[in-house]
């Protein structure tokens, strides 16, 4: 589509000589007429940047919000999760490569099922969801659609959640932040080479996005998928924890198990001991909430009161076992727990 259907702000600029620059992510693709960006789903047409996937939904599911993962946002609630094709990263270990890594062209424009933003909001409400999640691929690449859905969702009393690689520009964050309840940002490694060679991105913009989303009042949780021998060194994990503590020790950090996928079949899956070690490092560096994920039997899934240690939210996988939090506070010592509880 052209972007004429969308109420989203214009996220591109003309650069003369028929060139158009996309302002959505740090690739800042500069395209000639007909050119397609690195994400495969945005094309320069008639001197404008257009989305090839507006309203073309390739995945729609009702998920527990814990699956995003978000552990400090409306615990136990359902979230209506959607995606189009496309991604601005090329992670060799992508768990959703079938929909994120796409070729450009007509097949993209015919992908999925056509659904207007109002239909997404109606489906979320009908499914008993309290939020809509833009997830599975990088939502920045379908920004206009996510923006329009988010606007209607807010009007309907629903929250909005981005699950993101954090590579969006500051301008994109500033536009979407007022509509977002929360964002989970992947901090994939404390290593720019990892970002360049494994993901096709770079580290610093991701760090900037984490800080900026917080500054704009969006609740932020961070996830790091631990790949054995690749990004799981003690020093690297400590550096990530130190960075998060420097912003706010209350930022929840999810250390998750990797499973071989897409183009990365070695090494094997993350051992439980690595997740336990990462959690221990995060807590020792001063983070208040570090959670293990994607692997059972590690412990580290419950939310504890940072003051008295009482288990406030007990979890088994994505299910809430017991909820003791009362009005966002510990019932034993009255300490307020950081998060979005209403
Ligand atoms: S969103 Fe796509 S077209 Fe825009 S800068 Fe990023 S990769 Fe390029």
């Amino acid at each position: 589509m052209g972007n004429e259907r969308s109420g989203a702000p214009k996220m591109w600029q003309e650069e003369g000589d028929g060139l158009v620059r996309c302002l959505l992510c740090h690739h800042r693709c500069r395209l000639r007429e007909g050119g397609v960006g690195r994400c495969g789903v945005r094309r320069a047409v008639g001197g404008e940047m257009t989305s090839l996937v507006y309203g073309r939904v390739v995945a729609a599911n009702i998920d527990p919000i814990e699956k995003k993962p978000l552990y400090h946002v409306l615990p136990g609630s359902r979230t209506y999760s959607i995606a189009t094709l496309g991604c601005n990263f090329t992670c060799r270990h992508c768990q959703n490569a079938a929909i994120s890594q796409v070729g450009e062209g007509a097949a993209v424009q015919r992908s999925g099922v056509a659904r207007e933003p109002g239909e997404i909001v109606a489906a979320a409400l009908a499914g008993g969801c309290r939020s809509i999640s833009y997830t599975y691929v990088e939502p920045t690449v379908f920004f206009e659609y996510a923006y329009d859905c988010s606007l209607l969702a807010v009007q309907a009393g629903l929250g909005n959640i981005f699950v993101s690689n954090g590579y969006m520009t500051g301008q994109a964050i500033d536009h979407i932040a007022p509509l977002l309840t929360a964002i989970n940002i992947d901090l994939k490694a404390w290593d720019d080479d990892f970002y360049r060679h494994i993901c096709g991105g770079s580290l610093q913009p991701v760090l900037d996005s984490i800080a900026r989303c917080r500054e704009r009042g969006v609740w932020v949780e961070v996830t790091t998928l631990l790949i054995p021998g690749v990004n799981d060194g003690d020093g690297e994990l400590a550096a990530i924890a130190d960075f998060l503590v420097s912003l706010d020790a209350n930022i929840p950090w999810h250390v998750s198990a990797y499973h071989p996928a897409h183009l990365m079949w070695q090494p094997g899956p993350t051992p439980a001991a690595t997740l336990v070690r990462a959690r221990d490092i995060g807590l020792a560096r001063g983070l208040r909430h570090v959670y293990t994920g994607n692997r059972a039997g590690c412990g580290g899934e419950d939310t504890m009161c940072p003051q008295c240690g009482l288990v406030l939210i007990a979890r088994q996988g994505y299910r809430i076992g017991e909820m003791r939090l009362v009005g966002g506070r510990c019932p034993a010592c009255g300490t307020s727990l950081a998060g979005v509880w209403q």
Side-chain angles (χ1 to χ4, degrees), residues 25 31 64 67 75 77 80 84-85 115 118 149 170 174 180 185 200 206 230 232 255 276-277 303 310 324-325 339:
C25 89
L31 304 176
K67 194 174 178 181
S77 69
Y80 195 74
T84 71
L85 291 181
R115 295 180 77 186
C149 290
D174 290 353
L180 290 186
I185 296 181
V206 180
V230 178
D232 65 343
V255 287
V276 172
R277 174 171 58 84
T303 297
L310 182 73
R324 293 202 184 97
L325 197 64

Side-chain angles (χ1 to χ4, degrees), residues 22 24-25 27-29 37-39 42 88 141:
C22 180
L24 277 177
C25 89
H27 291 313
R28 296 181 188 276
C29 296
R38 289 174 64 160
C39 56
R42 306 184 68 79
N88 51 356
V141 308

